[in-house]
Amino acid sequence: LLCFILLSLTRPEGYLVFGVLLFITFLRQFLGRETDNHDKPVLMGLFFVVGVAPHLFFQWWYYGSVLPNTFYAKTTGGWPQILTGLSSLRDFFLAFPLLIILLCLPLLALIRPGWFLPVARKNVLMLGVLSLIWVGYVVGVGSDFMPFFRFFVPVIPILVVLAVWGIQALSVLHKRRVTFTILLLVFIPLHTGVNYLSDKVYVAFVSHRSTIVGEVVGKWLRNNVAEQHTIAVNTAGSLPYFAGHRTLDMLGLTDPQIAHRPVYVTTIGWSGHRRGWGQYVLTKRPRVIIFYNTAGSPEPFYLGDRELANSAVFRFFYSLRAVRLQVNPATGAPAEPFWWVLGFPFDETRQGGVELNNLGIKCQTFREPLAWTEFREGMITFYYFLFDTSLETLWQNDLLLNTSAEKLLSRSIHLWSEQNKNRPQADVSVRQEVLTLCQRARQLVEQNKMKQAKTVLSRAVELNRQAQLPIVPQHVANVALMSKDLWTAVAAQKEALRLDPDNELYKKNLISLLTVPYERFKKKQRRLEK
């Protein structure tokens, strides 16, 4: 009983396990299969309630709920969640096909009770029902995305006990014992081999590398972002631990406001990652916002990411940055391989190698004598969105989160016009050189040499700090649009308007960039590319 109390204090599933076993015990007493200790189930229930009641009261008093915040953050209910759980159950049985047979043993115990030993005959039905209820619970909450089926793991020891009893029961068939033994010796190795065909090994590897990347990125943030600032992330693990900043979990695992928001993803998948709230994140005005995983991404992935990507306030006040980081300090020598696998798990081309900058690894593939992949430490490309401190005076939560892009720009234009009155005089001597570079970049674009055009424009941007010509960021915005880079286009168009606040064309362009739905922008750019 003490074990069940401690289990329930550790995870809420303990209440489910104890409740099922207590109900089965009571049912046995009621059906008359056990005539002694009729009061035992009642006493067990009373002692259990006394053991957990103080903890439940404290949770209700301190947190306002007896269930943990992660329950609300990870479960949403409805058929999409159940179908996601069934998908996970399918993958579980594909990885462990023998286990699906074991769940049928309670039915066998009802049909052929004489096949089982007395101790097995007494408990196989109870353990079988407990296993089925546990599996149903995991399916009902949508399971989990983590590797190696961690929500199904607690039931595996019970299934192993059922396996022992099942083997004993089937072996009583004396006439078929030899055939059964041969099938068993063949089936178990095949079952073990199927386990290695599961993709969970690679999922676990990716999770492990994401943790390493989170440590590297967290240490970089600790050294480059002031400690008093807030950061917003989706992977609230190693990254905020090593960063040391106050962290906003955009998936809601540590934030009750996001966890209880009645808006979430309703499609199949997204196990435990359906929630988010972009507008709420903006009210906290984090200095750094990181999309997707520990390495960040310029593309939105989760619900909160997508809402932020469609927010004019976010596009206006935040700009995309990227930095290259090393997993390990440079030693001057080539990195040694640290892992080898058969096949090509990460290289879809199956030729040569590939660099996975979000995991900080280099993959080198080989086809002889067998197809295999070699892994070495590589570079991390860390993407993050940084708050524009030059616009800090414009930030007001109540006003900005409920205003239009036009009103936002009107206030910004007024600020920029005032700032331009005190702006230092432009260096006229470099203006001609800047204009020449812009003309050269335009010619390269017409020749479809986008990479060279960006290189020329980067030089023009550097010189434009002295020339202060709005045409330079306007060229950058145009090239960014042709490259499907919305974030660079917004930042460049904003700079063009800052240098020339009275330009109506620049204002119109920026309003368009701030208000276009993100998915529509991407689709439009894909059509233009075709």
Side-chain angles (χ1 to χ4, degrees):
L1 181 61
L2 179 60
C3 293
F4 284 114
I5 293 176
L6 294 176
L7 175 61
S8 300
L9 297 179
T10 304
R11 286 193 64 91
E13 289 86 355
Y15 295 99
L16 172 66
V17 175
F18 178 77
V20 171
L21 294 180
L22 185 66
F23 176 76
I24 293 176
T25 303
F26 176 79
L27 194 61
R28 283 179 170 180
Q29 299 272 350
F30 181 78
L31 295 177
R33 294 191 177 185
E34 294 183 5
T35 58
D36 56 335
N37 297 326
H38 284 286
D39 296 331
K40 184 178 180 181
V42 177
L43 292 175
M44 289 177 62
L46 288 176
F47 280 116
F48 180 80
V49 170
V50 171
V52 300
H55 182 253
L56 292 176
F57 176 77
F58 174 79
Q59 284 184 303
W60 174 80
W61 171 75
Y62 190 82
Y63 298 106
S65 173
V66 296
L67 292 174
N69 188 70
T70 50
F71 170 81
Y72 299 101
K74 290 193 171 187
T75 59
T76 56
W79 280 109
Q81 179 175 292
I82 295 175
L83 292 175
T84 302
L86 289 173
S87 175
S88 180
L89 179 63
R90 176 203 62 199
D91 295 338
F92 177 64
F93 282 141
L94 289 176
F96 304 98
L98 184 59
L99 298 183
I100 193 171
I101 301 176
L102 302 180
L103 291 176
C104 301
L105 285 179
L107 180 62
L108 182 63
L110 291 175
I111 299 176
R112 292 288 188 270
W115 288 9
F116 293 85
L117 294 174
V119 64
R121 189 166 54 247
K122 181 179 179 180
N123 295 306
V124 67
L125 186 61
M126 177 182 67
L127 294 182
V129 171
L130 177 60
S131 301
L132 288 172
I133 291 178
W134 181 271
V135 170
Y137 159 76
V138 173
V139 170
V141 299
S143 189
D144 188 66
F145 81 102
M146 296 294 285
F148 299 127
F149 312 102
R150 66 171 182 161
F151 275 23
F152 291 103
V153 166
V155 82
I156 290 180
I158 300 176
L159 294 178
V160 171
V161 174
L162 291 175
V164 174
W165 290 340
I167 292 172
Q168 175 273 327
L170 295 176
S171 65
V172 301
L173 303 177
H174 299 284
K175 296 182 180 180
R176 301 179 181 177
R177 181 173 296 180
V178 175
T179 303
F180 170 73
T181 303
I182 294 175
L183 290 175
L184 195 63
L185 292 174
V186 172
F187 190 79
I188 289 181
L190 289 176
H191 168 80
T192 305
V194 169
N195 296 342
Y196 290 96
L197 298 179
S198 171
D199 66 344
K200 293 301 177 180
V201 175
Y202 303 112
V203 174
F205 173 75
V206 170
S207 298
H208 173 66
R209 291 300 303 184
S210 296
T211 302
I212 294 175
V213 171
E215 177 181 352
V216 176
V217 170
K219 290 179 178 178
W220 184 87
L221 288 172
R222 184 182 60 195
N223 295 328
N224 292 273
V225 178
E227 185 178 359
Q228 70 270 20
H229 294 307
T230 300
I231 62 175
V233 303
N234 291 300
T235 50
S238 61
L239 192 157
Y241 176 81
F242 286 99
H245 296 82
R246 179 180 178 85
T247 303
L248 177 61
D249 181 0
M250 294 197 294
L251 291 174
L253 272 67
T254 62
D255 193 291
Q257 299 294 329
I258 297 176
H260 288 79
R261 185 193 184 196
V263 177
Y264 45 82
V265 177
T266 58
T267 54
I268 299 175
W270 306 91
S271 181
H273 294 75
R274 297 175 180 273
R275 298 194 184 272
W277 197 350
Q279 188 180 48
Y280 171 77
V281 171
L282 288 176
T283 62
K284 302 300 180 180
R285 203 181 70 178
R287 178 56 58 94
V288 172
I289 296 178
I290 304 172
F291 284 177
Y292 191 32
N293 58 14
T294 51
S297 171
E299 300 295 330
F301 187 78
Y302 297 113
L303 174 60
D305 299 346
R306 295 175 183 273
E307 289 182 344
L308 287 171
N310 282 290
S311 167
V313 173
F314 172 76
R315 295 181 190 178
F316 185 77
F317 282 94
Y318 287 84
S319 58
L320 178 65
R321 304 293 178 87
V323 61
R324 296 274 287 177
L325 304 174
Q326 287 184 318
V327 176
N328 294 317
T331 59
E336 294 295 327
F338 65 87
W339 197 38
W340 299 265
V341 296
L342 294 176
F344 310 103
F346 299 110
D347 186 8
E348 297 181 355
T349 62
R350 300 190 178 187
Q351 295 179 355
V354 62
E355 186 172 359
L356 302 177
N357 294 322
N358 62 326
L359 299 177
I361 58 176
K362 291 182 178 179
C363 304
Q364 186 67 37
T365 57
F366 303 89
R367 303 189 67 86
E368 294 180 358
L370 296 173
W372 59 286
T373 302
E374 175 185 88
F375 296 88
R376 299 173 184 266
E377 299 287 3
M379 296 291 293
I380 301 169
T381 302
F382 171 45
Y383 294 98
Y384 64 101
F385 292 88
L386 185 66
F387 181 78
D388 188 348
T389 55
S390 68
L391 302 172
E392 198 161 9
T393 57
L394 296 175
W395 186 276
Q396 295 179 19
N397 284 346
D398 296 338
L399 177 63
L400 291 178
L401 298 181
N402 297 284
T403 191
S404 63
E406 291 82 358
K407 291 182 179 180
L408 177 60
L409 285 190
S410 296
R411 298 179 64 215
S412 305
I413 288 172
H414 177 74
L415 173 65
W416 289 331
S417 298
E418 293 298 320
Q419 291 177 345
N420 287 344
K421 293 178 181 179
N422 301 319
R423 189 172 64 186
Q425 287 291 331
D427 190 341
V428 181
S429 61
V430 298
R431 286 195 168 188
Q432 187 57 48
E433 183 179 356
V434 170
L435 292 174
T436 302
L437 289 172
C438 290
Q439 183 63 28
R440 175 58 181 160
R442 183 174 180 177
Q443 293 173 353
L444 290 170
V445 169
E446 292 174 351
Q447 298 171 12
N448 202 26
K449 296 179 180 180
M450 303 299 295
K451 187 175 181 179
Q452 294 92 322
K454 291 179 181 179
T455 302
V456 173
L457 282 178
S458 64
R459 173 59 179 163
V461 169
E462 184 179 345
L463 293 175
N464 201 49
R465 296 174 183 173
Q466 305 172 39
Q468 300 181 19
L469 291 172
I471 191 63
V472 176
Q474 183 61 54
H475 276 295
V476 174
N478 293 340
V479 172
L481 284 174
M482 298 177 69
S483 303
K484 298 183 295 185
D485 186 353
L486 177 62
W487 312 119
T488 300
V490 170
Q493 193 66 64
K494 188 170 64 175
E495 176 64 11
L497 186 59
R498 185 189 70 83
L499 293 173
D500 188 3
D502 297 326
N503 193 306
E504 289 297 325
L505 177 61
Y506 293 169
K507 180 180 178 181
K508 181 180 178 182
N509 289 345
L510 185 53
I511 290 175
S512 177
L513 290 174
L514 291 175
T515 56
V516 60
Y518 189 83
E519 291 300 324
R520 183 188 301 174
F521 172 81
K522 286 295 181 180
K523 290 180 180 179
K524 181 179 179 181
Q525 295 303 314
R526 283 194 290 268
R527 289 197 300 267
L528 292 176
E529 191 176 52
K530 291 179 180 180

